[in-house]
Every structure is written in structure tokens, then in C-alpha cells.
Amino acid sequence: NVIISLIIIFMVIVLIIGAALLFMINQIKVESTSNYSLTNEEIDEIIEDSKIILHSSIFSLDEEVAISNIESLHSYVKVISIERKFPSKVVINVTKRTPVFAMPLTDGSYALLDRDLKVLELVTEVNYSNITIISGTKIESVQLGVFITIAWLSNMLSEAEDLSFVNARFSTFIPEITYVSVDDDYDLIYLKTNTGVILVLRNNAEGIGDYFNYAYTLYCDNTKITEEQKTYGYIYLNDEDVWGWTSSL
């Protein structure tokens, strides 16, 4: 009985060690989307900065921590996912973030932000095409790779994306955004379109997406607004809470 017990214990130990070796991470790979080409050096940096440890258990991998490690040090990298390929391979799937907004900072420079409002780059001048330049509001100095919170901008962009305005398409349609402080009830946000007319939205952070939807719907309604009216004036919500067009405010 003692011998049998020892054999069982030995077999259990062997199985545990075998399982630990079998599910030990021995390969970490970075795969990028077709529009994002990475050099071998960049791939090695992403793997190193992920802090995923070779020869550690694949079950101990914390994907959220690894994603945060990578994104904080690589501003233009967006980690789509981190996959465990059992028994011992980890794949980091990445793509390149696209700058959408140029947000002014209090020191006179600009932070280039993507649709997630991640700081991709800090510049003194905006010499980029297909980027929406924001004015009338500023933020404090920020660091590369951080995500900033601007509720009205995030909510508006979310609705815009539901209307297929994604990345460059949004910036092409809305090249300029001006934030205007009005009173204690709400501020106004002026969206200058590429045809000339300005969409005027009230800054109700939660409802601003609906305002964008209503304004854009009127913009597209050729029975209510002419092609000429799309070249100047304003699309706005009047005091009777009715959307319309006016040549001046």
C-alpha cells in the first residue's frame, strides 16, 4: 500500500510538472493589420514592453495589463487583442491608430488625438491633412499614450460613427470645431462642414450625439435645405426646439 501510494504521488507530481511545461509560454508573436507595417525592431519593442514573460504559465497571462503596458509606451499602437494559442503561444494583434483631432494645449502646442481620444503626438503646428482642428477650449499638458476624457467629444463622435463618419471621413466632413461658452445652461459647439455651412450643437454631453444626428439629417434633406444653403449659414436648434437653417445667428 505504501509503495502504491508513493507511485500515485510520483505520477501526480509528474503530471503537474508535465502540464506546467506544456502550458509554459515559449513563443510571443506580434501580428499587425494589412495597413500597418512593423519593423523587426518595433516588434521586439512591443513584445518587450508588454512585460509578458517567456516560460511563465500561459494561464497567468493578464491581457489587460499587457495591453496597458504596450499602449502607454507606443502612442500610435492600438492593441486589438491578445490571444492565447494553446498550449504555449501568445499572439499580440495590433493596428495603427489614426489621428482625428488636433486639441490645443494651454502651452500653445497641440495634442493629436485618435477616435478614442488617445494622445498620439504633441506638435507645435498642425500640418496634417484630414485632421479636425478644435478651438475655443484647451486642455492641460498631457503625455503621449494617455487617454483623455472629453465627454461631449466622445459622445458626438460615437453618434457620428453610427452614421459611418469614421476617422478621416469625419475630419474631411468636419475640418473645424469651435467650442463657444455661452451661459450656465449650455455651451455651443460649432461644426464647420467642408461645404461651408456650420452645424450648431448644444453641449449637453449626454445628448450631443442626438443633436449631431438631427443636424446631419437636416443637412442631408434636400427638401428642407438647398445645395446653396449648404455653403454658408447655420443649421441650428431654435428657441422652439425646431431644427432649421439661418443665414446668421
Side-chain angles (χ1 to χ4, degrees), residues 42-249:
E42 289 171 329
I43 289 173
D44 290 342
E45 288 177 353
I46 289 174
I47 292 174
E48 180 180 354
D49 292 335
S50 73
K51 306 300 182 187
I52 299 173
I53 302 173
L54 277 173
H55 310 308
S56 62
S57 171
I58 198 169
F59 296 107
S60 66
L61 171 62
D62 190 323
E63 290 91 341
E64 290 186 5
V65 170
I67 290 173
S68 178
N69 290 339
I70 295 168
E71 296 246 11
S72 64
L73 295 174
H74 299 267
S75 61
Y76 270 91
V77 171
K78 178 180 178 64
V79 181
I80 302 170
S81 65
I82 294 181
E83 297 180 271
R84 308 182 200 198
K85 299 283 188 177
F86 290 101
S88 58
K89 182 178 177 181
V90 173
V91 179
I92 304 171
N93 297 294
V94 301
T95 190
K96 186 175 183 179
R97 291 181 178 273
T98 301
V100 180
F101 303 104
M103 172 64 74
L105 304 179
T106 53
D107 64 2
S109 62
Y110 290 86
L112 301 187
L113 312 175
D114 77 334
R115 66 90 43 233
D116 296 321
L117 304 190
K118 182 183 182 184
V119 180
L120 307 184
E121 194 172 342
L122 300 175
V123 298
T124 55
E125 296 181 358
V126 183
N127 297 318
Y128 298 80
S129 59
N130 296 329
I131 285 186
T132 300
I133 299 175
I134 298 174
S135 62
T137 183
K138 297 180 180 181
I139 59 175
E140 298 294 332
S141 297
V142 292
Q143 293 181 337
L144 290 176
V146 303
F147 294 84
I148 63 176
T149 301
I150 306 174
W152 65 266
L153 189 55
S154 295
N155 293 336
M156 181 187 68
L157 189 58
S158 178
E159 182 63 32
E161 289 182 340
D162 288 343
L163 298 170
S164 299
F165 286 102
V166 179
N167 292 338
R169 188 165 184 264
F170 178 89
S171 297
T172 299
F173 180 56
I174 307 291
E176 297 177 23
I177 295 177
T178 303
Y179 192 98
V180 180
S181 297
V182 180
D183 55 37
D184 294 335
D185 292 332
Y186 56 82
D187 295 332
L188 295 177
I189 297 164
Y190 288 47
L191 310 181
K192 184 177 181 180
T193 67
N194 58 356
T195 59
V197 70
I198 295 173
L199 313 182
V200 182
L201 312 183
R202 296 175 182 175
N203 181 17
N204 176 341
E206 294 181 358
I208 195 170
D210 291 333
Y211 289 147
F212 181 87
N213 193 337
Y214 298 144
Y216 180 67
T217 299
L218 179 58
Y219 176 90
C220 295
D221 191 342
N222 293 328
T223 66
K224 294 182 179 180
I225 182 172
T226 67
E227 291 301 316
E228 181 181 359
Q229 287 174 322
K230 291 181 182 180
T231 64
Y232 70 105
Y234 305 84
I235 292 176
Y236 76 115
L237 184 65
N238 63 27
D239 293 337
E240 286 75 39
D241 286 339
V242 177
W243 285 92
W245 177 91
T246 181
S247 61
S248 62
L249 291 176

